[in-house]
Amino acid sequence: MNQFKKDILRVALWLTPQRYFGAMLILIAAFTPQLAMAAWYDPLVTAMKDAKTGFIIILGGISILSILYSGACLLIARVLGTMDTNIFDYGKQALIIGIVGGAVTLATWSYSWWGGSISI
């Protein structure tokens, strides 16, 4: 507890009025409409859209690979005669991927239905 009090005191001494008002002015300038619609913002939006597309591709590939892995484990278990992996494990994996994908799709649809716009 004593160290926590020292940390609070250190932050209180570090946060001077000049630093506080400087940070506040930077935030105000960053969120003004003239700067928010500036041309420097467009490359960031393009990069975020590309990152979103890459993220979807990577996660889709991982989900397909997990289904393939579960199916390969099922086939190997059937060939060897062991019952380590059964059809329910494969179905559970496919159901989890379907539920997660469906939840994301439903959330996106409901957000746009209630007036939101998905820009990225």
Side-chain angles (χ1 to χ4, degrees):
M1 190 65 180
N2 198 10
Q3 181 63 32
F4 183 67
K5 288 180 182 178
K6 287 180 183 178
D7 290 340
I8 291 174
L9 184 63
R10 186 178 302 140
V11 168
L13 290 175
W14 178 81
L15 188 62
T16 61
Q18 292 84 8
R19 289 182 181 155
Y20 176 78
F21 287 119
M24 189 173 69
L25 288 174
I26 289 172
L27 286 173
I28 288 171
F31 290 111
T32 57
Q34 292 83 11
L35 290 177
M37 301 303 284
W40 63 269
Y41 189 68
D42 292 336
L44 293 176
V45 171
T46 304
M48 288 296 111
K49 286 182 181 180
D50 293 343
K52 181 187 113 178
T53 303
F55 189 64
I56 290 171
I57 290 170
I58 289 170
L59 289 181
I62 289 172
S63 64
I64 289 173
L65 287 176
S66 70
I67 289 284
L68 289 174
Y69 176 76
S70 181
C73 288
L74 176 65
L75 288 175
I76 290 171
R78 293 289 180 183
V79 168
L80 294 178
T82 64
M83 295 302 286
D84 294 337
T85 304
N86 54 25
I87 193 69
F88 294 112
D89 295 329
Y90 182 76
K92 182 174 63 174
Q93 189 74 21
L95 186 65
I96 289 171
I97 290 172
I99 287 173
V100 169
V104 170
T105 304
L106 182 64
T108 305
W109 174 79
S110 63
Y111 180 72
S112 63
W113 177 265
W114 293 105
S117 64
I118 301 167
S119 63
I120 297 179

